[in-house]
Amino acid sequence: METPRSEGNEPGVPDSSTDAPLAAPLLEFLARWQGRTASEQTPVPSLLFHYTDVSGLHGILNTAQLWATHAAYLNDRTELIHSIQLVQQLMEHRNGSSQLDGPLNCPADDVMLQVMQNLYRYLDIYTVCFCENGDLLSQWRAYGPQGGYALGFAGGGVSVMVGPRITLVPVIYGEEEQRQCLSDLVADWRATFRDVPPRESSPPVWGVGVLVFAEVFTLAAVAFKDAAFAEEREWRLVYRRLQLPDEGTGLQVAFRHRHGMLLPYVPITSLPHDRAESTPRLALEEITMGPRAEPQLAGYALEKFVQGLGYTPSQPVIRPSTVPLRSW
């Protein structure tokens, strides 16, 4: 059996030398859920805002890159925990047990349990976060007295960053919608990963199953967030690295530091406004400066900076925040 190839084999999908009876169903399951994510996407807003500090602003504009941070290192780690708990509740409902400590003697559930208990081992997803609102009090508070910036990108400009293993998804805040999505996922997985040989006699099949389910689950979970954050109306540019060797075709992981810890990220390069330009520019329409001391000085320096990078005096539009927050 020959496995389709794109950017190397998809993670967890057996190559042409693997004689596994579940190869075709697993491929279909993976394609079905990747297609579901794309097909259910709502229209992209005309503007999407990325909040950052002055260091992030300087780096993004200088390099014409956005840095996608590993999902495990986002500011709110409870997002992934919330999704894990929902899946565990669905598994407990099926198995009639409040304890999920060991093998459940159901191949599909055993794979899900392994993924839930060791998610960070399989999670290799990186995200850039955007909001539909470019002047949010909650975001400015997060940047404290130094003030932040909201970079307003044309929605179409963000969309062109989508490519192999990169998707743009709206965040889902409603728990009922989240639960329904995961319920469908669990049911589909149970229908797919069944009648398999024992783990001891066919470890490759089980290994493939773990990677495929982890791939689909993390792609869904990274788009879930608690309803308390609904005012952000967040979107996420998501990059999924291959779990198997990618033959050098994937984006490369780099590291930066924050709060005394290294953070893995991947740089995602935008297309310039004009491909003929020697200096690439982002599809940047607006920059909102968060509340700060001496906004006039900050605005003057920002104008000089962006014009020096080849932007015009009218694009991006630079405006101060209208939020009445004293940050000094």
Side-chain angles (χ1 to χ4, degrees), residues 98-179:
S98 61
Q99 299 295 324
L100 295 173
D101 295 329
L104 303 174
N105 298 318
C106 167
D109 283 21
D110 283 344
V111 166
M112 288 190 288
L113 179 62
Q114 182 173 343
V115 172
M116 296 304 104
Q117 292 178 339
N118 302 279
L119 182 62
Y120 293 133
R121 176 180 177 184
Y122 307 111
L123 181 69
D124 210 5
I125 286 185
Y126 299 76
T127 70
V128 184
C129 301
F130 300 89
C131 295
E132 293 185 32
N133 189 332
D135 196 8
L136 276 174
L137 174 61
S138 59
Q139 294 293 317
W140 298 137
R141 280 177 170 164
Y143 291 98
Q146 295 183 358
Y149 296 86
L151 306 183
F153 296 94
V158 177
S159 296
V160 299
M161 297 184 188
V162 172
R165 308 190 63 76
I166 301 178
T167 54
L168 180 64
V169 297
V171 168
I172 298 173
Y173 298 97
E175 184 168 326
E176 285 306 312
E177 188 176 355
Q178 295 171 2
R179 188 181 296 274

Side-chain angles (χ1 to χ4, degrees), residues 108-328:
D109 283 21
D110 283 344
V111 166
M112 288 190 288
L113 179 62
Q114 182 173 343
V115 172
M116 296 304 104
Q117 292 178 339
N118 302 279
L119 182 62
Y120 293 133
R121 176 180 177 184
Y122 307 111
L123 181 69
D124 210 5
I125 286 185
Y126 299 76
T127 70
V128 184
C129 301
F130 300 89
C131 295
E132 293 185 32
N133 189 332
D135 196 8
L136 276 174
L137 174 61
S138 59
Q139 294 293 317
W140 298 137
R141 280 177 170 164
Y143 291 98
Q146 295 183 358
Y149 296 86
L151 306 183
F153 296 94
V158 177
S159 296
V160 299
M161 297 184 188
V162 172
R165 308 190 63 76
I166 301 178
T167 54
L168 180 64
V169 297
V171 168
I172 298 173
Y173 298 97
E175 184 168 326
E176 285 306 312
E177 188 176 355
Q178 295 171 2
R179 188 181 296 274
Q180 185 61 57
C181 175
L182 292 179
S183 178
D184 293 346
L185 173 60
V186 168
D188 194 3
W189 178 246
R190 284 170 170 159
T192 299
F193 200 78
R194 61 181 182 179
D195 303 325
V196 299
R199 188 192 303 263
E200 297 76 14
S201 63
S202 189
V205 171
W206 284 75
V208 166
V210 167
L211 292 177
V212 168
F213 182 76
E215 160 89 358
V216 174
F217 170 73
T218 52
L219 182 58
V222 79
F224 293 169
K225 202 166 183 178
D226 191 277
F229 299 95
E231 70 164 0
E232 297 172 357
R233 301 198 305 275
E234 186 176 334
W235 287 69
R236 289 181 172 178
L237 191 67
V238 180
Y239 172 64
R240 299 167 291 120
R241 276 181 59 81
L242 295 167
Q243 294 287 348
L244 296 180
D246 62 5
E247 300 176 351
T249 57
L251 301 181
Q252 298 303 305
V253 177
F255 294 86
R256 56 192 177 95
H257 59 85
R258 185 179 68 191
H259 305 316
M261 181 170 59
L262 292 173
L263 273 65
Y265 74 94
V266 295
I268 299 178
T269 301
S270 171
L271 293 178
H273 282 307
D274 183 349
R275 291 172 182 264
E277 292 179 354
S278 59
T279 302
R281 292 187 290 118
L282 296 163
L284 193 59
E285 302 289 332
E286 298 181 10
I287 301 178
T288 304
M289 300 190 305
R292 67 192 60 239
E294 302 188 82
Q296 290 183 331
L297 281 177
Y300 175 77
L302 180 57
E303 289 177 5
K304 291 294 185 183
F305 176 52
V306 297
Q307 290 176 22
L309 294 174
Y311 294 89
T312 67
S314 60
Q315 188 178 11
V317 175
I318 298 173
R319 63 178 89 248
S321 168
T322 61
V323 171
L325 171 67
R326 183 169 181 174
S327 57
W328 60 93

Side-chain angles (χ1 to χ4, degrees), residues 3-4 9-16 18 23 26-27 30 208 211-212 244:
T3 301
N9 281 347
E10 292 294 308
V13 176
D15 61 26
S16 58
T18 303
L26 287 175
L27 275 172
L30 187 60
V208 166
L211 292 177
V212 168
L244 296 180

